[in-house]
Amino acid sequence: SKPIHGRLSDSWRQNMRKRLYKTEKRCRWCQVQFDEPMSYSEPRGWPTWVAGMLFPTLDHIVPLGEGGTNQRSNICLACEKCNDARNN
C-alpha cells in the first residue's frame, strides 16, 4: 500500500510514471512533448530515458504541503523545468 502523504518508494514512482506515460505524452503545465523512452526494462517494463532526454517527472497537482495527496487523481507528469519551477 502506498502512503497518502510522505515519501513514495522508487517502485511506486516507476509504476505510476509508466501508467501515466501510456496516456500523457506531454507536460501538464507547458505541454512540451516528452521524448520516447530508449527502452523498457525487464521484467516490469518500466520506460527508460537517458541523460539529455526530455523525460517526465511525477508532480503533485495540489502540493502535499497544501493538502494534496499521493492519490492517482493528484499526480501528473511534468517536465523537470516545470516541476522545479513549481517547487512543491
Side-chain angles (χ1 to χ4, degrees):
S1 132
K2 65 186 180 307
I4 298 301
H5 300 285
R7 181 83 176 130
L8 299 168
S9 72
D10 288 340
S11 176
W12 188 91
R13 295 169 69 80
Q14 286 284 13
N15 282 324
M16 180 62 72
R17 187 178 291 124
K18 176 185 170 184
R19 289 187 359 210
L20 289 173
Y21 186 74
K22 287 181 180 180
T23 58
E24 300 176 25
K25 305 284 188 185
R26 295 180 177 274
C27 172
R28 179 179 181 104
W29 312 115
C30 72
Q31 297 300 307
V32 68
Q33 185 167 338
F34 300 118
D35 289 330
E36 287 293 319
M38 291 296 293
S39 63
Y40 291 87
S41 65
E42 296 297 331
R44 295 185 175 119
W46 291 340
T48 303
W49 288 268
V50 296
M53 295 181 73
L54 184 58
F55 63 93
T57 63
L58 295 179
D59 194 14
H60 291 90
I61 297 167
V62 177
L64 295 175
E66 295 177 18
T69 68
N70 288 326
Q71 298 289 338
R72 162 60 186 101
S73 60
N74 191 46
I75 304 287
C76 67
L77 294 180
C79 67
E80 272 190 303
K81 183 178 177 181
C82 286
N83 201 340
D84 288 347
R86 286 174 43 86
N87 195 26
N88 59 31

